[in-house]
Amino acid sequence: MQKRQLGTAGPQVSAIGLGCMGMSPGYGAHVDRAESIATLHAALDAGITLLDTGDFYGMGHNELLVNEALRTAPAAHRERALTSVKFGALRGPDGAWLGHDGRPAAVKNFLAYSLQRLGTDHIDIYRIARLDPAVPIEETVGAIAEAVQAGHVRHIGLSEVGPETIRRAAAVAPISDLQIEYSLLERGIEDEILPVCRELGIGITPYGVLSRGLISGHWSRERTTDAQDFRSVAPRFRAENLDRNLDLVEALRKIADGKGVSVAQIAIAWVLAQGLRHATAIVPLIGSRRRDQLTEALGALDVTLDADDMAAVEEAVPANAAAGTRYPEAQMATLDSEKK
């Protein structure tokens, strides 16, 4: 497994991380616990060291799942695994989203529960999932920095914040990485956010590199979703938007077929290549829920895209070509990263 240094202040991690959210209800009500554990074990076997979760994924379900996978993994794999945890989202008993809490007391509270669920005495990278508009980022990061001093957290990350917030956070304590959506369909970070991260020595751990399966090459117009699947309300999966976006996937498929690889592998390889292009450590988080998906994703590490390939990919899927926003309007309004 290739390695990457996650920013100047962060740890060394595998070139690809495993995003675990989909192993809890979020992309549909049905989750296969046994297959999830097997996929986590397969990821560790393959040399993946970065496991990304959130305390609000399934209201703790996901952290307990990661705990079980690590407890039952070989000791050597367990010892080199790194946990990246998001916190701060408030949810109701019915799963409703109630906002975000970045107060220092809340940071300590969230952390205490995560440590218990994960069965560990420390979290490797800790970050608030969304900026709490009522709490200065300096206070939230300062509370995480105190947890670093106490030994409960090793590194501080950020999630979905814009350039000004990144600078303010980095002035308080070293930041290892920014977690943010980045893919062929979502390139908004390239104009301002990526340059700031490069300047400050902050890595990028992009999620949504396959746009929640939309550009995996496996989605179709006929596919249905249940009420617990986020994609049922995601604008890019709606009616005419979906038609336009799947046309982009078919253009990408022609390039993939020509190279003898899958659409998903081309899309992931493109994100991997952006690290060199932007001189920034970029470690994509792959949301594989099954072992076959994981195997396909890992194959992207063997895909080489030369200058002609990159030009062809970006002609097939130009910047800003996606139809629809990445979240519904109400959720877009909560993203500090989208504020101009």
Side-chain angles (χ1 to χ4, degrees), residues 31-105:
V31 292
D32 186 331
R33 189 177 191 85
E35 181 61 24
S36 295
I37 296 293
T39 301
L40 279 155
H41 285 168
L44 295 169
D45 289 343
I48 287 179
T49 62
L50 183 62
L51 305 179
D52 182 79
T53 182
D55 63 9
F56 51 93
Y57 293 166
M59 280 74 84
H61 171 273
N62 207 251
E63 290 181 319
L64 292 169
L65 187 75
V66 170
N67 179 346
E68 182 179 344
L70 290 175
R71 280 191 294 106
T72 55
H77 293 172
R78 183 169 60 251
E79 289 167 5
R80 64 173 177 255
L82 303 175
T83 52
S84 170
V85 178
K86 290 180 291 299
F87 70 91
L90 303 175
R91 303 190 68 176
D94 60 352
W97 298 92
L98 306 176
H100 298 87
D101 193 344
R103 294 172 301 141

Side-chain angles (χ1 to χ4, degrees), residues 55-201:
D55 63 9
F56 51 93
Y57 293 166
M59 280 74 84
H61 171 273
N62 207 251
E63 290 181 319
L64 292 169
L65 187 75
V66 170
N67 179 346
E68 182 179 344
L70 290 175
R71 280 191 294 106
T72 55
H77 293 172
R78 183 169 60 251
E79 289 167 5
R80 64 173 177 255
L82 303 175
T83 52
S84 170
V85 178
K86 290 180 291 299
F87 70 91
L90 303 175
R91 303 190 68 176
D94 60 352
W97 298 92
L98 306 176
H100 298 87
D101 193 344
R103 294 172 301 141
V107 173
K108 295 176 182 179
N109 179 75
F110 288 127
L111 176 59
Y113 280 87
S114 283
L115 291 171
Q116 179 68 24
R117 283 189 292 262
L118 288 166
T120 184
D121 62 357
H122 75 276
I123 289 169
D124 294 286
I125 310 174
Y126 202 50
R127 71 188 84 238
I128 190 166
R130 298 288 186 269
L131 180 68
D132 181 348
V135 179
I137 189 63
E138 291 87 349
E139 293 184 17
T140 303
V141 168
I144 306 175
E146 290 179 5
V148 172
Q149 290 295 318
H152 301 311
V153 171
R154 296 282 170 81
H155 304 280
I156 304 172
L158 296 171
S159 176
E160 285 290 355
V161 291
E164 179 185 351
T165 303
I166 295 169
R167 290 188 184 280
R168 288 168 54 194
V172 175
I175 304 297
S176 66
D177 67 301
L178 169 68
Q179 193 173 120
I180 195 165
E181 188 165 351
Y182 186 39
S183 72
L184 276 166
L185 292 191
E186 186 54 53
R187 298 177 59 180
I189 71 171
E190 293 178 347
D191 293 337
E192 297 183 57
I193 292 174
L194 258 176
V196 168
C197 288
R198 180 174 62 244
E199 175 193 339
L200 298 177

